Every structure is written in structure tokens, then in C-alpha cells.
Amino acid sequence: MEKIAIISDVHGNYEALKTVLLDIEKRGIKQIYCLGDVIGKGSHSNECLDLLKNCFMLYGNWEDFFNNKRCSNDLDLKRYELLNAQISEENKNRLKSLPLCFEIYISGRLVRMFHATPENTRENVLEIDRIERIYKQFLPTKYTGTEIADVVVYAHTHTQNLMKLYNRTLINVGSVGNAFDIIRNEAKDGKCTNTTNADYLIIAGEINSKKDSSISFEFISLNYDKKLELEKSENNLEKEAFSQELLTGKFRNIKKYESNFNDAHYDIDNL
Ligand SMILES: [Mn+2]
């Protein structure tokens, strides 16, 4: 039985990433996959890219934003300029060649990984969405292979989740450096401690094997030094909003969970 680690949404949070990488190393896991959004929001985008030099990386919405300078307002432009000043030429070149999707067989299952959906890096799929919308996560697109996936591993919404659907498995690995809740229901929500940790996923099974055998998924949630990370966060345009997210686990544009939330999710920005 081999193990792989899947991380995502580091968002320039150096302390969180260091804590996660140390944990992965302690467990003797050699292979790490990163599902994108290494950069942006936090202050240490370049340092995080350096730490992930030997890690397989996919494209997230923040890499897409930076590569293609997708600025639609003043804040975007400032964010772009700050990243442009922080990121080394070598790392900029690396960001240009990231794939959107990755597929691997583990214990006979086709495991497909991407940042948000098999079609783009910025659409939000949440556990409260309609079932057919969630099911679309398994379907092939022009960016993927031609099969329906058995297991889909994605991220983008910064919250860990595992769901079995039509005998398939959908997993959100959560976020290493910017874990939070997009939605909260004050009457129903439990403790929020978990949403301020550094989160990632481990899969154990026969890697690169099409033969059916055992597979398991393990969520890891690690405490890390948030205060130190924030102390070292100079030159950050969004320090206040980012601090609030790190310390309280509340997304800056948090929505109250309403029954009609399904129709509003396209509006969420800053993920
Ligand atoms: Mn993100």
C-alpha cells in the first residue's frame, strides 16, 4: 500500500504550508499533488512556490488570474502588481505551463483531480448544490480524459468534504493556507476550530494500478502558527480580511445558509 498527499489553496501562507509539508514528511509520503491557488491573498506566494518546487501542480483561479492578468477593477490591478513584484522569473515561467486536470489510477479507480470543476478553475460546487450539478464533477470534458471518473478530488471552496454519489466518491481536500466556511448557519453550525486549521488529504492504495484493491481516504487537519504568519505579513493589500479568515474561519463574503442559496453561488468571489 502506497500513500499520496493532495494539498490545495496554499494562498501564500508559508507557516501553514511548512506545517503541512513537515507532517507529510514525517509520515514518509513522497508524492505530493497540489490542486492550485498556491499564490494570492497571503504574503508569501513566492516562498510557497519555492517550497513546492518538486511537487506536481495544477492550475487554480489565482494562477489563471496572474498569468492572464485578469483585472477587472482597481483591487485586481493592485493584487496583480504586488504578485508581479514578489514572484521570481523562474516561478512565473513555471506558472505558465500548469495543467488544468490530472488523472491517475489508484487501486482500480480512475481518480481525477482539478481545482474547481472539470471545465474551469472558478466555479463553486458545494455540498448543498443540486445533485445533478454535483454529479457533473465526475463527467469528462474537453480538458479531461474520456471516461467518467470513479473518484474526483477537487478544492477551490476551501472546505473539506467527502461525498458518495452513485457509487462514486467526491472529495474536496480543503485548503492549506486559507481554510474557512463559505456558508454558516448560526443555529446549526458546530465548533469552527476545524475551519482555521491547515487541511489536506491522504489517499492510500495501489498507485498506478488498474486492478481493484483496497483504497482509503484520510482528512488531515493541522494546527499551525497563524499569529506568526500574520506578523510576517507585511505588504499585504488585504491583511484585514485575510487575518479575519485565518483567525475565525469565516470567509470575508460569508453567506448565511438559505434554502435558495443554490441560485446565488455564482456570485461568490475572492476564493
Ligand atoms: Mn482558493
Side-chain angles (χ1 to χ4, degrees):
M1 197 93 116
E2 291 167 89
K3 288 183 175 181
I4 61 169
I6 308 177
I7 67 171
S8 192
D9 293 79
V10 173
H11 283 295
N13 186 332
Y14 185 73
E15 288 300 319
L17 180 59
K18 252 188 9 191
T19 303
V20 163
L21 293 180
L22 190 66
D23 190 73
I24 292 171
E25 197 189 321
K26 274 190 198 156
R27 292 168 191 268
I29 299 170
K30 301 270 182 271
Q31 255 180 305
I32 304 175
Y33 297 87
C34 175
L35 307 188
D37 275 15
V38 175
I39 64 169
K41 299 183 86 171
S43 304
H44 304 106
S45 296
N46 196 53
E47 290 85 345
C48 291
L49 286 168
D50 284 346
L51 278 181
L52 296 174
K53 210 155 249 171
N54 301 313
C55 160
F56 184 86
M57 254 168 69
L58 291 179
Y59 212 45
N61 52 295
W62 274 83
E63 286 80 19
D64 176 50
F65 161 77
F66 181 68
N67 277 350
N68 300 301
K69 207 176 170 181
R70 294 193 197 280
C71 301
S72 52
N73 54 45
D74 259 12
L75 176 64
D76 283 348
L77 207 60
K78 282 182 192 147
R79 279 170 163 171
Y80 174 82
E81 277 161 9
L82 193 59
L83 285 171
N84 197 34
Q86 288 170 344
I87 299 174
S88 70
E89 286 308 310
E90 191 188 345
N91 283 331
K92 278 178 194 165
N93 283 331
R94 185 178 180 207
L95 293 183
K96 281 175 194 152
S97 57
L98 301 177
L100 195 85
C101 170
F102 176 73
E103 295 183 0
I104 185 174
Y105 272 88
I106 302 178
S107 300
R109 280 87 164 167
L110 171 60
V111 179
R112 180 174 292 144
M113 305 178 199
F114 44 75
H115 183 69
T117 79
E119 238 154 356
N120 67 64
T121 59
R122 54 182 62 253
E123 218 174 305
N124 310 304
V125 177
L126 299 172
E127 59 272 31
I128 56 165
D129 279 325
R130 292 181 198 90
I131 198 158
E132 288 310 316
R133 176 178 162 80
I134 295 174
Y135 181 69
K136 273 176 79 183
Q137 292 289 73
F138 296 103
L139 300 181
T141 69
K142 62 181 175 183
Y143 303 107
T144 71
T146 54
E147 305 289 311
I148 300 179
D150 301 305
V151 178
V152 160
V153 185
Y154 76 113
H156 186 57
T157 62
H158 296 209
T159 307
Q160 286 180 326
N161 190 46
L162 187 149
M163 191 185 291
K164 289 277 187 180
L165 194 63
Y166 301 117
N167 281 323
R168 302 177 197 279
T169 308
L170 182 68
I171 300 172
N172 191 317
V173 300
S175 165
V176 167
N178 189 206
F180 55 53
D181 293 322
I182 291 182
I183 50 165
R184 269 196 193 164
N185 181 316
E186 299 302 337
K188 291 180 179 148
D189 267 309
K191 286 182 184 162
C192 302
T193 332
N194 193 59
T195 54
T196 60
N197 279 354
D199 295 338
Y200 77 98
L201 176 82
I202 294 172
I203 303 182
E206 300 303 326
I207 311 297
N208 287 315
S209 169
K210 290 194 173 183
K211 200 168 148 260
D212 185 30
S213 57
S214 314
I215 190 167
S216 66
F217 309 101
E218 186 179 5
F219 280 137
I220 312 294
S221 190
L222 303 169
N223 197 271
Y224 72 97
D225 199 336
K226 291 172 273 288
K227 286 198 173 137
L228 180 62
E229 178 63 24
L230 292 169
E231 270 165 33
K232 293 191 299 179
S233 296
E234 308 103 21
N235 205 10
N236 189 332
L237 293 167
E238 42 211 309
K239 187 164 178 179
E240 205 179 314
F242 191 64
S243 304
Q244 182 218 288
E245 288 171 353
L246 259 51
L247 298 173
T248 68
K250 269 190 190 180
F251 177 45
R252 64 189 70 180
N253 298 333
I254 199 156
K255 305 258 181 191
K256 220 171 117 189
Y257 180 14
E258 307 285 358
S259 55
N260 62 353
F261 184 78
N262 281 343
D263 301 318
H265 60 241
Y266 292 102
D267 300 336
I268 302 170
D269 213 346
N270 289 311
L271 285 172

